[in-house]
């Protein structure tokens, strides 16, 4: 029915257990005119469930049955698994709804975990995610020639791992028609990249109704697109939207941060290589990001760029600020405990007073270990700044400028006083937000009033605090309506946290500590 309504375009048969013979007829909302022979996969997850549901009692056993079927479906159709991952994984599923009847009274219906179907979907997805991470870890060990003999978790024939590791038999773009004559010339380099690549990462920023080469490429690559499973033997073609057809830089950046960075990070962790075009927009963001992660960019005659991990840059780690967690709303990141300062023409100095400039980072053939260490430390802080700015919700132009500063520094340019000041200000802002979220969380635990929608409300004389741990939301509003902090789904949307506000919240926290200590003392004396 979903396919007939145009909500899905592909077929998603599921091989489950013994694939028993199934007679023609109606299976829930689906009707089949022909018998399904034994051994042939079920034509859908629904058909598999309807066949096996009579073998288990109602309630939790049937939810487990559905979860197993969904797990098989996601393993056998990796692009469905990748689509969920790109949208936020379990957190995204927990905010989805499942309604199939107008009365909304079906057993499987509801929002998030209130829906037995979504609970089954979350469990099935989580199992596939766990298995894929196990495979990646084992693959990494094998690549390091460690003594790994067997993998205990058997994978279905059409699993992500098999697709990702099986040799590519043809160029997926070889017979793809360009959108128009203007695109045809640019597409030549894309076909050349696809010829040397083994996998594809790409997601269009354009609306669904707008023609998109990236969307066409993703479909052409099929199950080798956005797999999330990579190895050191992979060369990954990365393609994305440019600044045309009404697509803005902000849209491109949002798509890059949401969809590209998680997949690219997984490929980086596996030491994959990349090929990427040279257009404005996504291509430039990808190249700048790879360069900050220690990749060397090499121009290729066919008009694209190849990015290869430099062995000497393996000391540079790939850390990034973590999202707000349900148990602690702190936005943690590897922010330096001391502000960064560097030597420049303005006289700013590093803690060890060692200058960093093109003349002393590389002095012809003599490079000191301390200078290299200083450069690596600064590059790491620049990378942290880039990720911190993303977490703070800075503009696309601001974040792109940070990437440019990183590239300029790697080329030997000095950090300006303005850049150092901006970096330290961003670190301090995130640190302040971390601290105030910790205290707000504590206030919620002590004074909070739970609401039916899952929020916890703290109504004070001067401030209203709203916390939702499951959604990773936090809002702090002053009595006059001024929003001091607004965090939704772990993303900082607005922040006006001043030193004065921090002092007030620190005083509240101290009062809580004193009150609890007094209560504890009285209790121990009873």
């Amino acid at each position: 029915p979903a396919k007939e309504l145009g909500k899905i375009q592909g077929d998603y048969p599921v091989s489950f257990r013994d694939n028993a013979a199934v007679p023609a007829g109606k299976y829930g909302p689906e009707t089949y005119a022909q018998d399904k022979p034994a051994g042939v996969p079920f034509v859908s997850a629904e058909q598999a469930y309807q066949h096996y549901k009579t073998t288990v009692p109602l309630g939790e056993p049937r939810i487990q049955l559905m979860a197993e079927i969904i797990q098989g479906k996601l393993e056998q159709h990796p692009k469905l698994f990748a689509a969920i991952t790109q949208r936020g994984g379990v957190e995204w599923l927990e905010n989805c709804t499942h309604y199939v009847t107008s009365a909304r009274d079906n057993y499987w219906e509801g929002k998030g975990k209130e829906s037995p179907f979504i609970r089954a979907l979350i469990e099935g997805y989580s199992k596939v995610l766990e298995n894929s991470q196990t495979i990646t870890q084992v693959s990494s060990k094998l690549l390091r020639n460690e003594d790994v003999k067997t993998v205990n978790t058997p994978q279905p024939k059409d699993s992500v791992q098999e697709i990702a590791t099986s040799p590519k038999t043809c160029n997926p773009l070889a017979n793809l028609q360009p959108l128009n004559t203007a695109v045809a010339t640019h597409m030549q380099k894309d076909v050349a990249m696809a010829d040397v690549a083994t996998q594809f990462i790409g997601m269009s920023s354009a609306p669904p109704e707008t023609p998109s080469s990236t969307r066409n490429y993703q479909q052409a690559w099929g199950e080798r697109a956005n797999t999330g499973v990579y190895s050191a033997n992979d060369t990954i073609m990365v393609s994305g939207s440019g600044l045309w057809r009404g697509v803005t830089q902000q849209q491109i950046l949002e798509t890059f941060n949401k969809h590209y960075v998680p997949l690219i990070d997984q490929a980086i962790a596996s030491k994959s290589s990349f090929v990427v075009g040279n257009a404005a927009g996504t291509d430039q963001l990808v190249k700048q990001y790879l360069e900050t992660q220690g990749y060397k960019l090499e121009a290729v005659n066919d008009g694209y760029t190849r990015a290869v991990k430099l062995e000497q840059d393996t000391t540079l780690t790939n850390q990034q600020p973590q999202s707000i967690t349900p148990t602690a709303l702190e936005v943690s990141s590897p922010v330096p405990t001391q502000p960064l300062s560097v030597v420049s023409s303005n006289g700013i100095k590093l803690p060890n007073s060692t200058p960093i400039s093109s003349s002393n980072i590389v002095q012809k053939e003599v490079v000191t270990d301390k200078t290299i260490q200083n450069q690596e430390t600064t590059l790491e802080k620049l990378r942290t700044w880039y990720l911190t700015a993303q977490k703070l919700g800075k503009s696309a132009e601001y974040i792109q400028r940070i990437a440019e500063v990183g590239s300029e520094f790697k080329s030997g340019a000095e950090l300006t006083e303005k850049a150092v000041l901006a970096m330290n200000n961003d670190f301090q802002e995130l640190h302040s937000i971390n601290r105030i979220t910790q205290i707000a969380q504590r206030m919620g635990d002590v004074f909070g009033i739970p609401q039916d929608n899952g929020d916890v409300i703290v109504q004070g004389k001067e401030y209203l605090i709203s916390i939702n741990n499951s959604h990773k939301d936090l809002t702090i509003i002053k009595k006059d309506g001024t929003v001091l902090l607004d965090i939704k789904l772990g993303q900082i949307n607005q922040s006006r946290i001043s030193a004065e506000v921090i002092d007030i919240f620190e005083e509240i926290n101290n009062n809580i500590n004193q009150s609890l200590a007094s209560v504890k003392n009285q209790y121990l004396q009873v």
Side-chain angles (χ1 to χ4, degrees):
K3 186 174 182 180
E4 294 173 1
L5 293 172
K7 296 185 182 296
I8 61 173
Q9 298 179 352
D11 294 312
Y12 300 100
V14 178
S15 180
F16 186 70
R17 295 184 180 172
D18 55 358
N19 292 320
V22 175
K26 187 171 183 178
Y27 299 91
E30 300 175 300
T31 303
Y32 303 103
Q34 297 180 347
D35 293 350
K36 184 191 79 64
V40 175
F42 293 95
V43 295
S44 68
E46 176 67 25
Q47 189 186 43
Y49 171 76
Q50 293 295 338
H51 176 77
Y52 285 105
K53 74 176 186 179
T54 56
T55 64
V56 295
L58 291 170
E60 194 63 31
R62 289 201 182 179
I63 296 176
Q64 291 301 312
L65 171 64
M66 179 65 80
E68 291 178 29
I69 295 173
I70 290 173
Q71 178 184 349
K73 180 175 181 177
L74 295 178
E75 287 174 337
Q76 294 160 40
H77 301 282
K79 63 182 179 181
L80 300 180
F81 171 76
I84 295 174
T85 302
Q86 291 162 6
R87 286 163 175 78
V90 172
E91 296 173 14
W92 177 71
L93 292 174
E94 288 176 344
N95 288 286
C96 289
T97 58
H98 177 67
Y99 294 110
V100 294
T101 64
S102 57
R104 296 191 171 190
D105 59 358
N106 184 278
Y107 171 75
W108 295 98
E109 294 179 329
K111 179 179 180 180
K113 290 185 176 180
E114 296 173 358
S115 162
F117 175 77
I118 292 181
R119 291 212 309 272
L121 181 54
I122 290 173
E123 182 169 342
Y125 170 81
S126 298
K127 286 292 181 65
V128 179
L129 179 63
E130 180 182 344
N131 289 344
S132 67
Q133 290 172 341
T134 300
I135 291 170
T136 302
Q137 293 168 0
V138 172
S139 297
S140 299
K141 290 180 180 179
L142 288 171
L143 291 170
R144 294 195 299 269
N145 295 320
E146 293 188 7
D147 186 19
V148 180
K149 302 296 184 181
T150 60
V151 180
N152 294 326
T153 307
Q155 294 299 305
K157 180 179 179 181
D158 295 326
S159 67
V160 178
Q161 179 68 9
E162 182 170 341
I163 292 168
T165 57
S166 60
K168 186 183 70 175
T169 58
C170 62
N171 186 328
L173 306 187
N175 299 317
L176 187 66
Q177 295 300 312
L179 293 176
N180 51 53
T181 54
V183 172
T185 302
H186 299 290
M187 188 174 170
Q188 294 176 5
K189 74 173 186 317
D190 297 331
V191 174
M193 285 193 289
D195 198 43
V196 300
T198 58
Q199 293 201 53
F200 175 84
I201 292 176
M203 178 70 63
S204 177
S205 301
E209 66 275 9
T210 302
S212 166
S213 295
T214 297
R215 189 179 297 118
N216 289 349
Y217 295 167
Q218 181 183 353
Q219 294 173 354
W221 277 89
E223 294 179 322
R224 289 181 178 272
N226 303 323
T227 67
V229 178
Y230 309 106
S231 75
N233 296 321
D234 276 316
T235 297
I236 302 168
M237 174 183 175
V238 187
S239 175
S241 299
L243 297 171
W244 49 77
R245 301 191 189 94
V247 179
T248 66
Q249 180 68 26
Q250 185 64 38
Q251 290 172 322
I252 291 173
L253 181 64
E254 289 174 356
T255 302
F256 176 74
N257 289 333
K258 183 177 181 180
H259 298 292
Y260 284 80
V261 171
L263 293 172
I264 291 175
D265 281 347
Q266 292 183 52
I268 289 173
S270 300
K271 300 183 180 179
S272 303
S273 300
F274 299 84
V275 287
V276 60
N278 299 313
T282 304
D283 288 356
Q284 296 303 319
L285 290 175
V286 171
K287 290 194 292 185
Q288 290 169 356
Y289 188 76
L290 290 174
E291 202 166 24
T292 65
Q293 303 303 311
Y295 274 73
K296 179 182 179 182
L297 305 184
E298 303 172 344
V300 178
N301 291 334
D302 289 318
Y304 62 87
T305 297
R306 179 178 176 83
V308 182
K309 183 71 172 177
L310 290 175
E311 290 301 324
Q312 57 265 41
D313 285 346
T314 54
T315 55
L316 301 181
T317 60
N318 182 29
Q319 298 174 321
Q320 57 180 305
Q322 300 172 357
S323 299
I324 297 175
T325 62
T327 55
L329 288 168
E330 178 183 0
V331 186
S332 60
S333 71
V335 177
T337 55
Q338 297 294 330
L340 172 67
S341 56
V342 298
V343 158
S344 69
S345 57
N346 298 313
I348 307 173
K349 298 181 180 180
L350 276 167
N352 60 12
S353 300
T354 302
I356 292 185
S357 67
S358 57
S359 61
N360 54 42
I361 290 177
V362 180
Q363 300 177 356
K364 295 184 179 180
E365 298 180 357
V366 180
V367 182
T368 66
D369 291 341
K370 179 167 284 192
T371 302
I372 294 174
Q373 183 179 4
N374 290 337
Q375 184 190 32
E376 290 174 347
T377 300
T378 305
L379 284 173
E380 183 61 31
K381 290 176 180 176
L382 286 169
R383 183 177 303 125
T384 302
W385 183 24
Y386 180 94
L387 297 165
T388 298
Q390 287 181 326
K391 181 57 64 178
L392 291 172
K394 298 292 186 179
S395 68
E397 293 77 12
Y398 187 95
I399 294 174
Q400 186 166 352
R401 179 55 189 150
I402 294 174
E404 292 170 355
V405 169
S407 298
E408 291 166 1
F409 178 77
K410 289 188 69 174
S411 299
E414 300 172 349
L415 289 186
T416 65
E417 183 176 1
K418 182 178 179 181
V420 173
L421 179 61
M423 186 192 313
N424 290 333
N425 285 342
D426 287 347
F427 287 163
Q428 183 58 47
E429 182 180 356
L430 187 58
H431 175 75
S432 297
I433 292 173
N434 283 340
R435 183 56 184 155
I436 205 166
T437 52
Q438 287 177 334
I439 298 174
Q441 179 73 54
R442 185 120 188 268
M443 293 170 66
D445 294 340
V446 176
F447 307 122
I449 301 174
Q451 309 294 305
D452 293 339
N453 63 356
D455 289 352
V456 173
I457 302 296
V458 179
Q459 180 69 64
K461 293 181 179 180
E462 296 294 333
Y463 302 97
L464 172 66
I465 302 174
S466 174
I467 304 169
N468 191 308
N469 284 325
S470 62
H471 292 173
K472 300 184 181 179
D473 296 345
L474 170 65
T475 305
I476 301 176
I477 304 175
K478 287 185 68 175
K479 188 176 181 179
D480 62 5
T482 303
V483 178
L484 298 181
L485 183 62
D486 180 39
I487 300 173
K488 291 290 188 295
L489 298 176
Q491 180 64 46
I492 301 169
N493 296 325
Q494 186 174 349
S495 172
R496 295 180 180 177
I497 304 299
S498 64
E500 180 184 1
V501 172
I502 291 290
D503 289 342
I504 292 172
F505 273 69
E506 289 286 4
E507 183 178 356
I508 294 172
N509 190 54
N510 289 335
N511 289 337
I512 292 174
N513 290 337
Q514 292 173 8
S515 298
L516 292 177
S518 176
V519 171
K520 180 179 179 181
N521 185 50
Q522 293 176 18
Y523 174 77
L524 291 176
Q525 291 178 355
V526 173

